Every structure is written in C-alpha cells, then in structure tokens.
Amino acid sequence: MSKLTIVMYHYVRDLQNSAFPRIKGLDISSFRRQLDFLQAKYSFLPMGDLTACIKTSTPLPDNACWLTFDDGYRDHYEYVFPELVSRGIEGAFFPPVKSVAEREILDVNKIHFILACIDDVSTLVKELRLLYLSSDLSQYTGKSFDDYWEALAKPGRFDSDDVVFVKCMLQHALPQIWRDRFADFLFKKYVSQDVCAFAEDLYMSSKDLSEMVQAGMYVGSHGYRHLWFSKETRQTQLEEIQNSLTFLGSIGAPTDDWVMCYPYGAYNSETLEILKGKGCIVGLATKVGVADLQHHPHLELPRLDTNDLPQ
Ligand SMILES: [Zn+2]
C-alpha cells in the first residue's frame, strides 16, 4: 500500500468553556469521537515507520493514517497530547518558532480571534474600508478598496465571502506593513490590549515541546516566522528553514529525515531545492487529498482537514 491519510488539525479545545467559544476550532469531545472513528478504521503510523517505509521503498500498512497539528497552540499540549498518550498514538506537531520562542501572535491567529469576537463580519469589512481610506492606501497600491473586494470576496470551502475577504486582505493582499498595522489595531480593539499575555496563553512553550518530544511525539518544522515561502527570496527561505532546524535541535527533535509543514501550504521550486539539501524527507501541503507515496512527490504530500472527516 502507498496510501497515507494525513489529517490536519489546528485549534482543538474545550470550546464551550473557553473565552472564545466562536473560534473556528474542533471541540475536544469531537476530537475524541474522531479518534474513535480513526482508530476503528485506520492504523496510525509513527514517524519512524514512515521514514523507514520511504527510505526502503517498503509498502505502508493498510489504511495508514498520520495526525498532524499545525501552529504550536497550547491546545495541543493541554488537550491533544494527553489524549494521544492515553491511546498510544504518536502525533506530529508543527510550531512556528517565533510564536513559541518570542511570544508574538501570528497575524493569521490575530485574524481568527478578531473574527471570533465579532457578531457580524460585515462590520469588519466596513472597518477595513475605513482604515484603507483613512490611510490613503490606494496611493500605494494603485487599487481602490472595491477593486480588492471584487477580486477577493469569494466564498471558500469553510468560509463566507466576507470572512474570505478579511482573511485575504490581512494575510496577503495588502502590503505587509499595512496588514500588520491593521491586524494589530483590530486585535487590540476587539480581542485584547495585552498581546504578550495573550501569546503566552495561546502557544506552547519550548519546555512543553521538549516534554512532548521526550514522551515520543514528533515535532517538525513550520518555519520561523510563518511566512508564505512562495513569496519570499531564496535567502529568506533558507534562513527560515535553518533557524527552525536550530530550534528543533534545541528541543531535542530530530533534524535528520525531518518533516517540513509549509505555512499556508505555500512553497515553490526554490523551497523544494533547499529542503532536499537539508535532509528533509517529507513536505506537508494544504492541498486536499489522501497522499499516495507512489504518486505524489514526498515533499508535496496533500492532507485532509479535520472537517473532511466525520466528527
Ligand atoms: Zn500554520
């Protein structure tokens, strides 16, 4: 067999009792039910076995499944880790180093929490319009706010057009300096003034991650600053990857035959070239599908989202 079902998770938390019940996450009870379902149907593959199968071209076990957790949330330490340990399952975790080591909130996370604090997302679109106009941004971008709306406001797999628009604007469409400024302004207005304490709560620490590695969990690279690799120079990509490997070494995670989980699923031919030179064995994309090791290049494996599976 060459098929591998790789499941991608982000927030997994006790949603009802959390401060942000509307965050788009998986409730811990649904997570447990999903594990029951997966345990009945699949065999979980530890990273060591996957590496061995790839290196010796040995077939994978039937219905092989691999659980991956992106973005280094404390959720993963608090809820996922004990659940996996009690079931004897090895999970794979991909923290962006900056959030763990420097306690900075990723823009993508700021946006999630802003959205979770707003009743009507059209309010946020209006806020963005005001920010755009008052900063006179069309002067820099050569585009009107409505040009952006026309181009970006399309419903996604799991999001309405308003939500897709806000995410696109603040994740990649606007110039970086303005994205950062707007996301920061809106985060402080709607979510919290104390960004540092919020980051402390949101992300695992290096100590948490070392403990998980000690307990047999896999920790791999998700870059240093969680950048869109496809938009970065070769040099920046190289630094991002090298710095994340240095971090992995510092928490006792393997840096030979390691796994790269691309932030936003974004990479280009330069990324692949760098990874080959650095001994990366598997690359995880966000393209949706069941991976097939005979068919897909190993540095470009697709994954299923937790929402694609029964809960
Ligand atoms: Zn990520």
Side-chain angles (χ1 to χ4, degrees):
M1 279 298 286
S2 56
K3 294 257 171 75
L4 175 60
T5 300
I6 310 172
V7 191
M8 169 173 69
Y9 293 92
H10 287 93
Y11 303 102
V12 180
R13 45 177 60 194
D14 183 1
L15 280 174
Q16 302 316 312
N17 297 310
S18 82
F20 303 93
R22 282 191 298 176
I23 197 85
K24 283 261 178 110
L26 183 66
D27 190 73
I28 181 66
S29 59
S30 307
F31 178 60
R32 291 193 185 110
R33 281 198 298 278
Q34 199 161 78
L35 288 181
D36 293 342
F37 164 82
L38 290 168
Q39 277 187 303
K41 205 167 175 285
Y42 291 90
S43 55
F44 292 102
L45 198 63
M47 184 56 206
D49 291 7
L50 176 58
T51 307
C53 287
I54 289 177
K55 293 192 107 170
T56 58
S57 305
T58 317
L60 296 173
D62 287 348
N63 300 317
C65 176
W66 191 34
L67 305 184
T68 63
F69 301 85
D70 290 16
D71 294 344
Y73 302 125
R74 185 176 293 276
D75 290 2
H76 301 162
Y77 177 76
E78 205 167 315
Y79 300 109
V80 173
F81 173 42
E83 196 60 38
L84 295 185
V85 167
S86 76
R87 294 172 186 246
I89 301 169
E90 180 188 308
F93 298 84
F94 300 96
V97 181
K98 193 164 187 176
S99 315
V100 172
E102 297 180 32
R103 291 326 208 186
E104 258 193 41
I105 306 179
L106 303 178
D107 281 350
V108 58
N109 293 141
K110 283 189 183 149
I111 298 159
H112 293 155
F113 284 94
I114 293 165
L115 288 167
C117 289
I118 291 240
D119 284 320
D120 177 1
V121 184
S122 67
T123 318
L124 213 48
V125 176
K126 283 180 201 135
E127 286 256 18
L128 268 181
R129 180 188 289 274
L130 272 178
L131 286 167
Y132 192 89
L133 296 178
S134 61
S135 313
D136 206 6
L137 270 196
S138 52
Q139 191 184 300
Y140 302 95
T141 61
K143 290 180 192 172
S144 71
F145 188 83
D146 291 329
D147 291 339
Y148 280 108
W149 175 263
E150 285 294 315
L152 302 173
K154 316 262 190 293
R157 278 215 310 149
F158 304 117
D159 290 324
S160 71
D161 55 353
D162 279 347
V163 171
V164 169
F165 178 74
V166 170
K167 284 184 173 175
C168 286
M169 286 295 268
L170 294 177
Q171 281 178 13
H172 56 81
L174 292 173
Q176 171 130 29
I177 170 170
W178 295 98
R179 290 198 317 254
D180 291 351
R181 228 174 258 184
F182 292 175
D184 200 57
F185 171 82
L186 294 168
F187 185 84
K188 285 183 175 146
K189 177 167 177 179
Y190 289 106
V191 187
S192 171
Q193 291 281 337
D194 193 344
V195 178
C196 210
F198 198 91
E200 218 28 87
D201 271 355
L202 183 58
Y203 303 108
M204 288 188 266
S205 65
S206 305
K207 192 170 152 283
D208 299 336
L209 284 159
S210 303
E211 189 186 327
M212 287 162 68
V213 171
Q214 290 282 318
M217 297 291 141
Y218 178 78
V219 180
S221 172
H222 200 39
Y224 193 92
R225 287 173 290 171
H226 203 268
L227 303 179
W228 298 76
F229 282 0
S230 55
K231 297 176 199 257
E232 297 296 337
T233 62
R234 188 177 202 284
Q235 183 56 28
T236 302
Q237 294 192 44
L238 189 62
E239 284 164 15
E240 279 286 315
I241 291 165
Q242 186 50 53
N243 291 341
S244 74
L245 286 177
T246 304
F247 171 78
L248 291 180
S250 77
I251 58 161
T255 51
D256 290 325
D257 299 329
W258 53 281
V259 180
M260 178 78 220
C261 173
Y262 306 106
Y264 308 101
Y267 58 91
N268 58 21
S269 56
E270 286 180 321
T271 325
L272 299 176
E273 212 179 284
I274 296 168
L275 292 178
K276 279 177 198 153
K278 293 270 175 199
C280 175
I281 195 165
V282 165
L284 299 175
T286 50
K287 242 179 296 161
V288 184
V290 172
D292 184 335
L293 296 188
Q294 267 176 0
H295 174 70
H296 296 114
H298 297 167
L299 294 183
E300 302 176 68
L301 297 184
R303 294 189 281 176
L304 292 181
D305 189 271
T306 168
N307 292 309
D308 293 316
L309 295 171
Q311 288 171 24

